[in-house]
Amino acid sequence: MSNSAPATIEDVARLAEVSIATVSRAIHMPDKVAKSTRQRVNQAIAITGYTTNAMARSLRMGRSNMILVLAPDIGDPNFSSILIGLENEARAHGYGVLIGHTQNDPERGLEYLKFLSSSQAAGMVLFTGHQPFGHQVVSERLPPSVAVFEPVFDSATPYVGVDDQAGGRKAAEHLLSYGHRRIAFIGDSKTRLGHQRRRKGYDLAMDAARIPANQRMVLDGDGTIESGRLAVEQLFMRDTLPTAFCCVNDATALGVINGLSARGYDLPRDFSVIGFDDVPQATYVKPALTTIRQPRSAIGRQAMALLLQNLGQTGSEHREILILPDLIVRGSVSEPARR
Amino acid sequence: MSNSAPATIEDVARLAEVSIATVSRAIHMPDKVAKSTRQRVNQAIAITGYTTNAMARSLRMGRSNMILVLAPDIGDPNFSSILIGLENEARAHGYGVLIGHTQNDPERGLEYLKFLSSSQAAGMVLFTGHQPFGHQVVSERLPPSVAVFEPVFDSATPYVGVDDQAGGRKAAEHLLSYGHRRIAFIGDSKTRLGHQRRRKGYDLAMDAARIPANQRMVLDGDGTIESGRLAVEQLFMRDTLPTAFCCVNDATALGVINGLSARGYDLPRDFSVIGFDDVPQATYVKPALTTIRQPRSAIGRQAMALLLQNLGQTGSEHREILILPDLIVRGSVSEPARR
DNA sequence: TTCATAAATGTAAACCTTTACATCAGGGGT
DNA sequence: ACCCCTGATGTAAAGGTTTACATTTATGAA
């Protein structure tokens, strides 16, 4: 039992008085071995506490049953719930999940890639928005992978994520439905592709509402709280103010709320604000933030399903799965103020 | 280069016209091989793009150079910065870090334990506060491990964490130094051991200030935002109110601030609040939360150093390394209000 | 020149599996 | 009585390393 060295298949074989091959078969192809033998083997396994050495197994099989999830930032509020989706789906198929934290450091990414190439993991999920090795050219063939949350730049890696454009449109339409016409969009054209798509959704909604392009106030930030705060300051230097803020993400929206409150405005009476993502903080800010929710666990689930499915095939076709997000109504949107 | 199968040590050996043993030596004990040979080998490695198969290596050596970090909740705001400390230290010693997400599910914990016992990882770091397999009895000898953030219940696992008692005392003393005498402690005696120690620190400070025990208002919550809010409600049903709230952690403090603001009070004029942990949100709440900061990266660094050091030895003595936390002064503490 | 010794390299076993192939026994059909 | 087939099991190779031990070569002293 609690011997110093863990039991090997040989220990089991000896105890059950069979060959190691039979033990292996009893485990993996139970119908190929006589019932009486199977019982003896199972007993021996129970007694020795044998558990198959995954390392040897993977070495022999040239494939492991672990999936590596590469995240640049573990702390990202979007990460953990997507992860749970990934894990649950993986688990249902007999796979385990390991997380690699790259901190956006190409060297670390490369390290984890080695982990994959020595088949300690069978495939990978990318949160990074780019290949984990930066722009270096990597000689090895990349393992099966799928991107999540943000498509991988300049690559045919399949992608599963929220339908940003539809979400952006939904957000803008929600504001429009309350009668807002002067709706500022606080965007972010640089850091993420998805953010550009959200902007596109906003434009589409404004087009449909027949609001001319020159009446739209579009500011470009970088998706941080600070950038939301800054946008407020910039807008207050103009002649006309918006009645509502359509923000590219919740962080920006939080910054906007912050800036507006600091100026003494009462929300949502004076201004309406809508975000995108539905981060945990959205509930606690005052007023609670109306936002578009990332369908996180669905993204995780579908991404893992896609990856697992692609593990078998060689040439997996490029695919993009977009999931429609829901509008979460809280307290930060109301009718425009009379002025 | 970009052949289908990755290059093995044999490919390198063939190209360099030496035996595989020499290649291995050229890599791991360069001084044991003649300079000219070493050069040829290095060249061959460069050409083939060889990278040693970690799986085979670990199988042979019975030890890997990966450390597994087990976290019940990836989303915990304390997790990511401790992790970075862990990673940096590991990296400096040639180890990599993998994260296992247990979700407090003993089965998952057990799964990751198997990962360790087949020596896919050399040791583990526990964030869990308990052994990852719940209360099941596990036959195998546990791998070298170290606990972080929260000591492992009922076990001799070495622990590295903040000095909760000193921190709790520091917090209370800060309030006392502003002249507060009626200081409520919103605690949590159940979910974490560290929280009890913080309470102890509060008591020590109050003792030193000669405030009799029957004048202390101590409420017991569970360390959540909700529990902070609730504590406010309960206190307002009493005759005497505190002038300050000493909270067992930031979540509780956030709840308290929330509850107080909801009742229309102006902080910190009407009440002072202090937290513990310094979570990211502490900066954004209004007023910004004065708190005791978890020395997160130091914890990570020292924990990994301890683990790595214990990898060699067999019987590692039980040790507890406590790191003194700093007080972070923001805006939620001031003199007590005149009433 | 001849040994003894050190330095450099090679050979082969071991780590723990999985699995193709070989073997063996027994059963059913002729 | 013989053959063929099936089902159950065993044998051994392979997967990519590291390393103890064996072997070869070079070095220096006598």
Side-chain angles (χ1 to χ4, degrees), chain B residues 125-182:
Chain B
V125 177
L126 294 171
F127 251 75
T128 46
H130 49 74
Q131 296 286 10
F133 38 79
H135 291 291
Q136 307 172 43
V137 176
V138 166
S139 54
E140 323 175 37
R141 197 191 34 189
L142 293 180
S145 39
V146 56
V148 117
F149 187 59
E150 174 77 3
V152 171
F153 176 74
D154 200 22
S155 120
T157 312
Y159 167 65
V160 178
V162 67
D163 188 332
D164 286 292
Q165 184 176 306
R169 178 163 190 167
K170 212 172 217 171
E173 280 171 351
H174 183 62
L175 294 172
L176 287 164
S177 79
Y178 269 80
H180 291 275
R181 308 291 294 169
R182 293 204 307 283

Side-chain angles (χ1 to χ4, degrees), chain B residues 4-278:
Chain B
S4 45
T8 76
I9 201 173
E10 207 144 352
D11 299 325
V12 177
R14 203 168 323 126
L15 194 59
E17 296 178 296
V18 292
S19 75
I20 58 171
T22 302
V23 175
S24 179
R25 275 188 291 253
I27 297 172
H28 302 291
M29 341 150 77
D31 35 341
K32 289 279 175 200
V33 50
K35 197 161 84 173
S36 64
T37 327
R38 205 185 320 147
Q39 285 174 340
R40 248 179 318 138
V41 169
N42 285 334
Q43 220 167 27
I45 289 179
I47 293 176
T48 54
Y50 169 74
T51 149
T52 117
N53 181 322
M55 187 135 275
R57 167 173 229 258
S58 308
L59 174 60
R60 171 60 224 245
M61 309 234 296
R63 149 176 312 198
S64 91
N65 56 163
M66 284 280 168
I67 301 291
L68 183 67
V69 176
L70 245 38
D73 174 17
I74 292 282
D76 187 313
N78 285 295
F79 181 68
S80 78
S81 3
I82 295 189
L83 179 65
I84 291 182
L86 288 167
E87 284 175 329
N88 290 343
E89 185 70 14
R91 202 146 202 275
H93 291 76
Y95 281 80
V97 168
L98 286 168
I99 302 155
H101 191 208
T102 63
Q103 296 182 50
N104 268 327
D105 175 353
E107 273 211 50
R108 283 176 211 252
L110 226 37
E111 227 166 70
Y112 286 115
L113 213 59
K114 259 166 69 174
F115 189 80
L116 275 160
S117 69
S118 55
S119 62
Q120 297 190 77
M124 70 178 173
V125 177
L126 294 171
F127 251 75
T128 46
H130 49 74
Q131 296 286 10
F133 38 79
H135 291 291
Q136 307 172 43
V137 176
V138 166
S139 54
E140 323 175 37
R141 197 191 34 189
L142 293 180
S145 39
V146 56
V148 117
F149 187 59
E150 174 77 3
V152 171
F153 176 74
D154 200 22
S155 120
T157 312
Y159 167 65
V160 178
V162 67
D163 188 332
D164 286 292
Q165 184 176 306
R169 178 163 190 167
K170 212 172 217 171
E173 280 171 351
H174 183 62
L175 294 172
L176 287 164
S177 79
Y178 269 80
H180 291 275
R181 308 291 294 169
R182 293 204 307 283
I183 303 174
F185 184 82
I186 318 299
D188 159 30
S189 64
K190 290 174 286 283
T191 64
R192 311 214 111 102
L193 184 58
H195 287 180
Q196 297 170 35
R197 296 183 179 173
R198 293 176 189 181
R199 159 76 194 281
K200 174 87 178 164
Y202 159 86
D203 275 331
L204 255 31
M206 298 296 268
D207 286 349
R210 308 209 174 282
I211 296 177
N214 59 19
Q215 283 180 33
R216 301 176 198 169
M217 309 175 208
V218 176
L219 296 197
D220 198 36
D222 60 1
T224 60
I225 295 195
E226 197 41 57
S227 130
R229 234 186 246 130
L230 205 67
V232 170
E233 299 312 314
Q234 291 178 324
L235 276 174
F236 271 84
M237 291 167 62
R238 302 199 181 175
D239 334 335
T240 48
L241 283 175
T243 62
F245 293 79
C246 184
C247 301
V248 75
N249 65 359
D250 282 358
T252 304
L254 258 19
V256 166
I257 288 181
N258 215 304
L260 255 19
S261 307
R263 283 177 166 265
Y265 287 104
D266 177 26
L267 305 187
R269 207 196 48 183
D270 300 328
F271 295 99
S272 289
V273 180
I274 192 167
F276 198 126
D277 279 351
D278 192 23

Side-chain angles (χ1 to χ4, degrees), chain A:
Chain A
M1 333 272 231
S2 67
N3 285 326
S4 48
T8 76
I9 200 174
E10 207 144 352
D11 299 326
V12 176
R14 204 168 324 126
L15 194 59
E17 297 179 296
V18 293
S19 74
I20 59 170
T22 303
V23 175
S24 179
R25 275 188 291 253
I27 296 172
H28 301 292
M29 340 152 74
D31 36 341
K32 288 279 176 199
V33 48
K35 199 162 82 176
S36 63
T37 325
R38 205 183 322 146
Q39 285 173 338
R40 246 178 321 134
V41 169
N42 285 335
Q43 221 168 26
I45 289 179
I47 292 176
T48 55
Y50 170 73
T51 148
T52 117
N53 180 322
M55 190 135 271
R57 168 173 228 257
S58 308
L59 175 59
R60 171 60 223 247
M61 309 234 296
R63 151 178 307 201
S64 92
N65 56 163
M66 283 280 168
I67 301 291
L68 183 67
V69 176
L70 244 37
D73 175 18
I74 293 281
D76 187 314
N78 286 294
F79 181 68
S80 78
S81 7
I82 295 189
L83 179 65
I84 291 181
L86 287 167
E87 284 174 329
N88 291 343
E89 183 73 14
R91 201 145 204 277
H93 291 77
Y95 282 80
V97 168
L98 286 169
I99 302 156
H101 192 209
T102 63
Q103 296 183 50
N104 268 325
D105 175 353
E107 273 210 52
R108 284 176 211 250
L110 226 38
E111 227 166 68
Y112 286 114
L113 213 59
K114 259 167 68 175
F115 189 80
L116 276 160
S117 70
S118 55
S119 62
Q120 298 191 74
M124 70 178 172
V125 178
L126 293 171
F127 251 76
T128 46
H130 49 74
Q131 297 286 10
F133 37 79
H135 292 292
Q136 307 173 44
V137 177
V138 165
S139 54
E140 323 174 37
R141 198 190 33 188
L142 292 179
S145 38
V146 56
V148 116
F149 187 59
E150 175 77 3
V152 171
F153 176 73
D154 200 21
S155 120
T157 310
Y159 168 67
V160 179
V162 66
D163 188 333
D164 287 292
Q165 184 175 307
R169 178 163 191 166
K170 212 172 218 172
E173 280 170 349
H174 182 62
L175 294 172
L176 287 163
S177 78
Y178 270 79
H180 291 276
R181 308 291 293 170
R182 294 203 307 283
I183 303 175
F185 184 82
I186 318 299
D188 159 29
S189 65
K190 291 175 287 281
T191 64
R192 322 209 102 105
L193 185 58
H195 288 179
Q196 296 171 36
R197 296 184 180 171
R198 293 175 189 182
R199 158 76 195 280
K200 175 87 177 165
Y202 159 85
D203 275 332
L204 256 32
M206 297 298 267
D207 285 349
R210 306 208 175 286
I211 296 177
N214 59 19
Q215 282 181 31
R216 301 176 197 169
M217 308 174 211
V218 176
L219 295 197
D220 198 35
D222 59 1
T224 61
I225 295 196
E226 199 40 57
S227 130
R229 234 184 246 133
L230 205 68
V232 170
E233 299 312 312
Q234 291 177 325
L235 275 173
F236 272 84
M237 292 168 62
R238 301 197 183 178
D239 335 336
T240 48
L241 285 175
T243 62
F245 293 79
C246 183
C247 301
V248 75
N249 65 0
D250 282 359
T252 304
L254 258 19
V256 166
I257 288 180
N258 215 304
L260 255 20
S261 307
R263 283 179 167 264
Y265 288 103
D266 177 27
L267 305 187
R269 206 195 52 184
D270 300 329
F271 295 99
S272 289
V273 180
I274 192 168
F276 198 125
D277 278 351
D278 192 25
V279 299
Q281 269 206 63
T283 331
Y284 298 114
V285 73
K286 204 158 288 159
L289 185 64
T290 292
T291 189
I292 303 290
R293 173 178 291 168
Q294 287 257 13
R296 287 183 265 262
S297 60
I299 290 178
R301 212 171 337 109
Q302 298 213 32
M304 186 56 74
L306 182 59
L307 176 60
L308 260 26
Q309 178 189 321
N310 283 348
L311 279 192
Q313 284 107 314
T314 44
S316 66
E317 42 178 332
H318 178 26
R319 255 209 275 175
E320 187 170 72
I321 300 181
L322 297 182
I323 303 175
L324 281 178
D326 288 326
L327 171 73
I328 305 295
V329 177
R330 297 210 178 89
S332 63
V333 172
S334 70
E335 285 84 31
R338 286 277 177 74
R339 290 250 179 71

